[in-house]
Amino acid sequence: MKRYQKSYEGVSLCAPITIPYRRYSPETAHWWAGAALKELSLQTNLTANDIDGVIFSSFSSNPDTVVGIVQHLGLSPTWMDNIPTGGASGVMAIRRAARAVQSGDANIVVCIAADTNHIDSFQKTLDTFSRFSQDATYPYGQGGPNATFAIMTEYFMRKFNLTREEFGKIAIAQRQNASTNPIALMKKPLNMNQYLDAKPIANPLHLFDCVMPCAGAEAFVVTTPEVAEKFNLSTVKVLSTIERHNAFSEDHIQYRGGWVKDIDDLWSSSNYNPSDINFAQVYDDYPVIVAMQLQDLGFCENGKIKQFINDTDFTIMGDLPLNTNGGQLSAGQAGAAGGYQNVTEALRQCIKQPLGQQIPNSTKGLISGFGMVNYDRGVCTGAAIIKTDTIR
Amino acid sequence: MTKQKKYLTKKNPLVKSKINHVSSHLRSRATKALACHAAKGDFVLQECSECQYISYPPRDRCPKCWGVLTWKHQKRHATLLAETTIHSTTDLYFREHVPWRIGTILLDVGPTAFAHLHSNVQVGDKLKIHVMLDRSGNPALFAMPRKVTVNMEEDYQYSQFTASPKGKRILISDGRTEIGQKLTYELIKAGAEIVYLGNADSNLRFKGQDSISKHKNVKIIPLNLLSTKSVKKCSQQYGGKVDILINTASYVRSGSIAFSGKITEMQNAIDLNVNGLTRLAKAFCPAMSARSGDEERPAIAFLDILSIFSLTSHPDYASLAASSAARLSIINSLRSEMSLSGLKVFSTLIGPIEDEWHQDIPPPKVTAEQIAKSVITSLKNGQELTLVGNVAKDIFEKWSANPLLTMRETIK
């Protein structure tokens, strides 16, 4: 049955906030969430009394979820939601907050993703990540998702005839984009030889195919154009969104994601084509996922991803600026904040307040999320097409 | 052909042994249930009792129709779809063992799964899948080549899941019996480097002593399980060089509780079968578990041979059944304790033996040779629980289906 998605009329995305990441932090997820609220209040003059909706995403706030954060940070919302879906949580937050604002359940929704990274928190997150991982992934020596993605990468390379060079091109372009972002954790230039000769992690993955876990926080506000005007905030419109979970469970090994199921809805609701898009902020825990998204989201014909990567310049001044803050591969992966940094960077490019270099023409952007390798594949996918509304 | 492992003769005493890490213990209850089947070497997967859909990883309800799932024997055949070699991992156990190969397998019966890979399998190959118990005692899938090849079980990764006697130093607690001696010969045939054979009383000669004491791979040593002092002394001398310990000691006397049995027989049975096992475990397991992570000469297994009547009781062998029940309980406690150190704990459950102490019991009975061969197989396959003989298999099957009924059936 075809779904007719109602428009996102009357919804404004604004106030992207990024708290500079740190490799390790002795602080807690609560501290990082508080830091995001503090920065938000400094930039927007929003107070606790103004905020009547809260969305929270984190892997390291245990045992607290959104309710613990609300009480910890002295908020009193009329609406709240906890979105524990990692790399897909940012897109999902947009969708949920937008509908809450449209329906009037909340007027100003603050979406926060915050994660700390203690010396041992990566291991702790792994230990409790999912039941299937405990039962059927970690006993195989993976110590994290590297080996799962290695198998996916190996399969994807064979299926679509890719070589490591194509993935290297993505990693190198993102590193070049990161070089303009003062708060990216990895700004040292990367060349193809360095990429290819890096330390092997799990064949065919090498060091520069893997993100670096770190601590950080991201936040943004979803509200009405009227409120945005009152607080003098630049705004971005939502044109269309999709979300899908546990798609293609029949595929033996993941080589496509849930986007494929809903891609026509995404583009037709937005009234744009991939070629109209000025930039893409896609989830990038590993280059193979970037390649998978570009193909599944329709930037190239199915099966032509190799040629598309070779023909496209992904740097900020290129044909399709991709992950312009450096993405997680170069800026760092701050847990669930990794699923929000694609949103905040996209908003910043649209309202011309980038952390690094501005894309010359940046009114129409695509955000894509991918999350929760619960067992052998990413379960959650989502995407949104956004457009600059008012720059103040 | 699998590359053969080299065995060193002497260990440098100045080199610090590797700490015995084990792989992660966290498992759901459903996956623990899989371990019970893996312990017997069975290959089972969950099948929906309503729509017959076969699923993996272990779940609590069918993902197709939400029906109830039951464990069913399945065909072991699969194909290797993709693979990776792990070079870097945060897992402390696997860090000691990288590079380590795993892959995604497609089982002929439907599901895909991650599996550890034998070095002879490549992408596209047809596989035979085993559910093995890893060093934490938890189940893991292992992909073997479909075709049997030379020295196949010596594969490095596979050997982490098994306790093959090849090149190992093995202690047998009681060498005075036929079982102890048959086992010694079989272990040597399977490549054991040396068998230390326990002798409870050096002044009393025993049957078979002349020929076995002349064997170059056998050393008869004083070991009396009834004496804490003797067991301690033995462990001080041999605890550091025993890789596999096999407890063959058993005190068997016929006799009931009220009429024919004597309290002294119960005491003797408890002292050898229960306390003897405990003395052995207490004296040897700490030293063995300290070496279970050793790179060159790891201690790998503790195996106990005990009566199947441990499950059911037996009115005419009341003291044997009672002490065996305690023995089984001790082994279960020990297994849990040793799962933290990676030392594998095996139980071999046997039916009545063809010997002078089981004259009242009609056949079928098991021979010492059958028991010895089963022990070797269970060690080679890493199979924690082995049943020897038709009586043991029959009782176990009935007991698995209905334990209370099986106990009642032993009443005349």
Side-chain angles (χ1 to χ4, degrees), chain A residues 273-303:
Chain A
N273 289 312
S275 56
D276 301 323
I277 292 295
N278 302 131
F279 66 94
Q281 304 294 145
V282 309
Y283 193 75
D284 64 326
D285 49 356
Y286 298 85
V288 68
I289 298 307
V290 176
M292 188 187 291
Q293 282 165 100
L294 293 173
Q295 176 162 283
D296 289 356
L297 288 164
F299 285 97
C300 67
E301 211 181 300
N302 189 27

Side-chain angles (χ1 to χ4, degrees), chain A residues 277-343:
Chain A
I277 292 295
N278 302 131
F279 66 94
Q281 304 294 145
V282 309
Y283 193 75
D284 64 326
D285 49 356
Y286 298 85
V288 68
I289 298 307
V290 176
M292 188 187 291
Q293 282 165 100
L294 293 173
Q295 176 162 283
D296 289 356
L297 288 164
F299 285 97
C300 67
E301 211 181 300
N302 189 27
K304 298 278 172 63
I305 185 62
K306 180 190 177 81
Q307 203 188 333
F308 179 75
I309 293 171
N310 286 324
D311 293 349
T312 310
D313 180 353
F314 297 114
T315 59
I316 291 174
M317 304 305 279
D319 324 309
L320 180 67
L322 174 79
N323 297 341
T324 50
N325 58 338
Q328 300 178 88
L329 283 169
S330 288
Q333 181 183 51
Y340 277 49
Q341 53 84 35
N342 46 353
V343 177

Side-chain angles (χ1 to χ4, degrees), chain A residues 43-111:
Chain A
Q43 290 193 17
T44 63
N45 292 322
L46 284 167
T47 66
N49 287 337
D50 301 316
I51 298 167
D52 60 359
V54 178
I55 287 178
F56 183 61
S57 299
S58 178
F59 287 116
S60 56
S61 63
N62 199 18
D64 283 348
T65 62
V66 64
V67 59
I69 292 298
V70 159
Q71 190 175 29
H72 199 105
L73 298 174
L75 299 167
S76 178
T78 60
W79 180 97
M80 66 184 189
D81 206 348
N82 197 70
I83 305 186
T85 53
S89 56
V91 172
M92 289 170 65
I94 293 177
R95 284 167 60 93
R96 280 147 187 70
R99 295 311 186 196
V101 166
Q102 273 186 324
S103 68
D105 288 350
N107 209 30
I108 301 177
V109 181
V110 178
C111 307

Side-chain angles (χ1 to χ4, degrees), chain A residues 39-365:
Chain A
E39 186 61 26
L40 180 74
S41 72
L42 291 174
Q43 290 193 17
T44 63
N45 292 322
L46 284 167
T47 66
N49 287 337
D50 301 316
I51 298 167
D52 60 359
V54 178
I55 287 178
F56 183 61
S57 299
S58 178
F59 287 116
S60 56
S61 63
N62 199 18
D64 283 348
T65 62
V66 64
V67 59
I69 292 298
V70 159
Q71 190 175 29
H72 199 105
L73 298 174
L75 299 167
S76 178
T78 60
W79 180 97
M80 66 184 189
D81 206 348
N82 197 70
I83 305 186
T85 53
S89 56
V91 172
M92 289 170 65
I94 293 177
R95 284 167 60 93
R96 280 147 187 70
R99 295 311 186 196
V101 166
Q102 273 186 324
S103 68
D105 288 350
N107 209 30
I108 301 177
V109 181
V110 178
C111 307
I112 312 165
D115 262 303
T116 189
N117 191 35
H118 300 158
I119 294 293
D120 62 347
S121 50
F122 183 64
Q123 196 56 45
K124 276 187 187 156
T125 303
L126 288 182
D127 285 349
T128 54
F129 193 76
S130 78
R131 175 170 147 178
F132 282 172
S133 299
Q134 285 180 359
D135 285 347
T137 308
Y138 300 147
Y140 296 87
Q142 310 207 350
N146 285 337
T148 306
F149 279 94
I151 286 173
M152 277 164 61
T153 304
E154 192 257 327
Y155 188 75
F156 196 88
M157 285 168 80
R158 259 190 293 136
K159 192 165 176 79
F160 297 111
N161 194 28
L162 267 70
T163 61
R164 285 189 59 215
E165 275 82 356
E166 275 85 45
F167 297 133
K169 191 181 174 195
I170 292 171
I172 292 164
Q174 289 194 197
R175 182 59 59 91
Q176 201 180 322
N177 295 347
S179 68
T180 71
N181 173 2
I183 62 171
L185 288 186
M186 286 154 286
K187 292 191 286 283
K188 225 161 91 182
L190 177 68
N191 66 37
M192 189 58 87
N193 285 338
Q194 287 166 327
Y195 170 86
L196 293 173
D197 297 341
K199 177 184 160 192
I201 302 295
N203 302 17
L205 299 183
H206 290 61
L207 188 64
F208 298 114
D209 291 307
C210 308
V211 288
M212 187 159 84
C214 62
E218 301 277 346
F220 58 93
V221 169
V222 183
T223 185
T224 62
E226 296 75 27
V227 171
E229 192 183 350
K230 187 181 145 199
F231 285 90
N232 197 32
L233 302 173
S234 299
T235 58
V236 175
K237 276 197 230 180
V238 184
L239 299 183
S240 64
T241 66
I242 53 171
E243 176 181 329
R244 178 71 71 162
H245 307 285
N246 199 27
F248 303 117
S249 61
E250 70 276 16
D251 288 351
H252 296 141
I253 294 176
Q254 185 166 41
Y255 66 91
R256 55 182 172 173
W259 308 282
V260 174
K261 296 239 175 196
D262 310 295
I263 186 65
D264 293 343
D265 290 345
L266 180 76
W267 292 114
S268 64
S269 306
S270 74
N271 289 320
Y272 288 121
N273 289 312
S275 56
D276 301 323
I277 292 295
N278 302 131
F279 66 94
Q281 304 294 145
V282 309
Y283 193 75
D284 64 326
D285 49 356
Y286 298 85
V288 68
I289 298 307
V290 176
M292 188 187 291
Q293 282 165 100
L294 293 173
Q295 176 162 283
D296 289 356
L297 288 164
F299 285 97
C300 67
E301 211 181 300
N302 189 27
K304 298 278 172 63
I305 185 62
K306 180 190 177 81
Q307 203 188 333
F308 179 75
I309 293 171
N310 286 324
D311 293 349
T312 310
D313 180 353
F314 297 114
T315 59
I316 291 174
M317 304 305 279
D319 324 309
L320 180 67
L322 174 79
N323 297 341
T324 50
N325 58 338
Q328 300 178 88
L329 283 169
S330 288
Q333 181 183 51
Y340 277 49
Q341 53 84 35
N342 46 353
V343 177
T344 51
E345 177 64 9
L347 298 183
R348 274 191 292 262
Q349 287 291 355
C350 279
I351 60 176
K352 304 213 177 286
Q353 295 171 2
L355 289 173
Q357 195 180 347
Q358 176 70 50
I359 304 165
N361 177 14
S362 63
T363 54
K364 289 159 292 197

Side-chain angles (χ1 to χ4, degrees), chain B residues 268-310:
Chain B
N268 290 344
I270 301 257
D271 203 22
L272 186 67
N273 298 347
V274 180
N275 300 340
L277 169 64
T278 311
R279 287 183 191 107
L280 207 52
K282 265 198 174 314
F284 281 88
C285 286
M288 287 176 77
S289 40
R291 287 193 300 117
S292 75
D294 191 77
E295 228 175 342
E296 292 165 7
R297 309 292 310 245
I300 50 174
F302 187 106
L303 186 144
D304 188 44
I305 303 173
L306 75 163
S307 166
I308 188 71
F309 299 126
S310 54

